[in-house]
Amino acid sequence: MYRLLSGVAAGALLMASGAAFAADLPGKFPGVTIDAKLIGGQQYEKLYERIGEWEKATGAKVNVISKKNHFDLDKEIKSDIASNSITWCVGSNHTSFAPQYPGIYTDLAKLLPKEEIDAFVPANIAAGTLDGKLVMLPRAQFDVSALYYQKSLYQDEAKKKAYKEKYGEDLAPPDTFDEMAQQAEFFASPPDFYGTQYAGKEEAINGRFYEMLIADGGEYLDKDGKPAFNSDAGVKALDWFVKLYKAKAVPAGTTNYLWDDLGQGFASGTVAINLDWPGWAGFFNDPKSSKVAGNVGVKVQPKGSSGKRSGWSGAHGFSVTENCANKEAAASLVWWLTNEDSQKLEAAAGPLPTRTKVWEWDLEQAKSDPYKTEVLQAFQEAAKNAFPVPQTPEWIEISNAVYPELQAAILGDKTSKQALDDAAAKATQILQDAGKL
């Protein structure tokens, strides 16, 4: 599977030459305190329990000065840049967000041994490399979405009969987005049970719209870098969200949902089908956290009308700031949070690793676990269809302008075409102001 993932991101592995300062990892840094800004959320928290081990091993301390979802963290980092107040050392990063911060993060290839960096899947390193600088070391959080569903719904004889009578088709986990929408409406029984759900704000809804647009044969930016999503394919993609909301097949609050809301929603047993990230796989099947444990099926993400599957993807990681007074200690912490032991810890719960040997370990572990095998097989197929967001530093700024327009269409305040035309005008202005058009 790691061979498949090596083709996910384009570009060659770029490495800076020179000796690594932190060759004797994790090193000794008595009296040093590393201030950190980290992503928070259910699927990310377990890893941070290892910080205490790093402190004990190195003699340093970690002061987590901020822990937020990545959208709020992004806003905070931009505020720090604007006020020239980047006094912290380590920050959570993501391949979709990293192009916005070209100058604030240092080159980790100059701080860590080459053999450690070579241990990662090359495509993940390439995705964290900007202008020849390795600005981010990826954690075991490679993201592409697959379809989770409640198996019992598809085994229920009464439901199978009713579905056949209504649609003239056999009830089976959906393979297209049209089938997914049809089944979501069929299963929905609001306000107690919903067919599906989606994250309805921030980059989350724009990213989902983006991958649906691609699956429907459209493009977000054209070959000249101009917004092109207000097309027939764009209208079809946005209508998918609008119709589900209008049919009450999704929760009424879905336009305010982010990823943790989706995870908790599916785990509550009140949602039939859920397009979501690999990091939730263990959570969904754990009886301590999930009412659907033992009842979860997983399959490759659906196809759009063009025959393409969706596949919006990226990877989480950690970066070290140029302003950090103790870069070697900070790089050691970043290495610790992404080393083999850390990646095994995260991968055991479902997230996809970014180190080659941990992929091998993960596949071996799955042999005795049917659910884990199903998860890895589904995400192996999902990874074949993975593609990044448009590679422009303005992606998040554009997302922040576009998503309120998507919400306006979903809520019925605008038609899909009107909303997309307005969104395209805003995106065009952003790119013009940035000198890109």
Side-chain angles (χ1 to χ4, degrees):
M1 179 172 179
Y2 67 84
R3 292 190 181 90
L4 293 172
L5 288 176
S6 68
V8 167
L13 172 62
L14 297 173
M15 297 286 292
S17 61
F21 296 112
D24 188 21
L25 293 167
K28 297 291 183 182
F29 308 101
V32 170
T33 297
I34 298 297
D35 288 339
K37 294 194 172 188
L38 305 177
I39 187 174
Q42 179 68 43
Q43 60 182 317
Y44 309 115
E45 293 290 342
K46 185 70 176 175
L47 176 64
Y48 304 145
E49 295 176 8
R50 296 206 70 220
I51 290 176
E53 300 174 42
W54 180 83
E55 292 175 324
K56 185 176 180 180
T58 63
K61 296 292 182 185
V62 178
N63 178 32
V64 179
I65 58 177
S66 184
K67 189 185 289 185
K68 299 178 177 178
N69 70 59
H70 217 130
F71 306 111
D72 290 337
L73 195 63
D74 172 63
K75 295 180 179 70
E76 187 173 299
I77 291 171
K78 287 174 179 171
S79 177
D80 289 345
I81 293 171
S83 61
N84 195 28
S85 56
I86 299 178
T87 58
W88 41 276
C89 279
V90 171
S92 287
N93 208 343
H94 190 279
T95 52
S96 293
F97 288 77
Q100 302 175 105
Y101 324 122
I104 72 169
Y105 292 127
T106 198
D107 188 356
L108 291 167
K110 295 181 178 180
L111 294 168
L112 295 168
K114 183 178 184 297
E115 59 267 24
E116 281 298 319
I117 296 170
D118 288 347
F120 288 83
V121 174
N124 293 130
I125 292 296
T129 301
L130 300 174
D131 297 326
K133 291 170 58 178
L134 179 59
V135 298
M136 184 190 87
L137 207 61
R139 64 192 287 181
Q141 291 280 351
F142 175 78
D143 277 342
V144 65
S145 292
L147 205 65
Y148 296 92
Y149 59 92
Q150 291 196 41
K151 291 189 293 186
S152 60
L153 295 172
Y154 295 89
Q155 298 164 351
D156 186 296
E157 293 300 328
K159 285 184 171 58
K160 289 197 288 186
K161 181 180 178 182
Y163 189 84
K164 181 77 169 183
E165 290 175 351
K166 186 170 185 177
Y167 300 107
E169 302 169 2
D170 291 331
L171 180 60
D175 196 52
T176 70
F177 279 104
D178 285 345
E179 290 172 353
M180 181 178 170
Q182 180 173 283
Q183 291 181 17
E185 291 188 34
F186 173 76
F187 287 130
S189 181
D192 301 314
F193 194 83
Y194 296 93
T196 190
Q197 56 184 349
Y198 48 80
K201 66 178 183 178
E202 306 282 0
E203 187 218 16
I205 182 62
N206 189 44
R208 282 285 184 247
F209 165 72
Y210 161 64
E211 66 176 339
M212 289 281 292
L213 171 71
I214 300 300
D216 283 331
E219 54 184 355
Y220 199 92
L221 302 179
D222 65 19
K223 60 182 176 60
D224 297 319
K226 183 179 180 181
F229 51 76
N230 54 331
S231 59
D232 290 345
V235 170
K236 179 173 177 56
L238 182 51
D239 278 348
W240 186 87
F241 298 92
V242 173
K243 290 176 181 177
L244 283 171
Y245 188 86
K246 187 175 181 179
K248 298 183 179 180
V250 297
T254 200
T255 50
N256 289 314
Y257 282 10
L258 287 174
W259 306 124
D260 273 11
D261 302 296
L262 299 189
Q264 295 293 343
F266 186 71
S268 73
T270 61
V271 175
I273 313 165
N274 185 42
L275 184 67
D276 218 330
W277 310 109
W280 290 104
F283 185 83
F284 290 154
N285 208 44
D286 183 350
K288 295 178 182 177
S289 57
S290 174
K291 293 182 179 179
V292 294
N295 187 33
V296 182
V298 195
K299 69 168 292 181
V300 67
Q301 71 272 51
K303 298 174 184 175
S305 57
S306 73
K308 297 178 184 177
R309 297 190 187 275
S310 62
W312 169 35
S313 69
H316 289 266
F318 300 99
S319 300
V320 174
T321 63
E322 290 281 16
N323 289 355
C324 180
N326 297 283
K327 288 186 177 67
E328 292 81 9
S332 170
L333 175 61
V334 167
W335 166 82
W336 182 268
L337 294 174
T338 60
N339 68 14
E340 282 195 29
D341 288 340
S342 289
Q343 294 228 350
K344 287 177 180 178
L345 176 68
E346 292 206 275
L352 306 183
T354 54
R355 280 178 172 260
T356 300
K357 286 187 177 179
V358 182
W359 265 117
E360 296 168 352
W361 170 88
D362 209 12
L363 291 166
E364 184 65 28
Q365 297 298 305
K367 288 181 178 179
S368 60
D369 185 337
Y371 175 72
K372 181 79 171 181
T373 297
E374 182 178 353
V375 168
L376 287 178
Q377 287 176 344
F379 282 101
Q380 181 176 11
E381 286 299 308
K384 292 178 182 178
N385 310 293
F387 49 83
V389 301
Q391 297 299 288
T392 174
E394 287 72 41
W395 165 252
I396 296 298
E397 186 178 358
I398 289 172
S399 287
N400 290 339
V402 169
Y403 88 76
E405 298 297 336
L406 302 181
Q407 288 180 325
I410 291 168
L411 295 172
D413 297 330
K414 295 182 179 182
T415 66
S416 292
K417 178 59 174 171
Q418 180 186 1
L420 292 177
D421 284 343
D422 291 346
K426 291 180 179 179
T428 299
Q429 187 63 56
I430 289 169
L431 292 167
Q432 288 175 339
D433 291 345
K436 300 297 177 64
L437 294 177

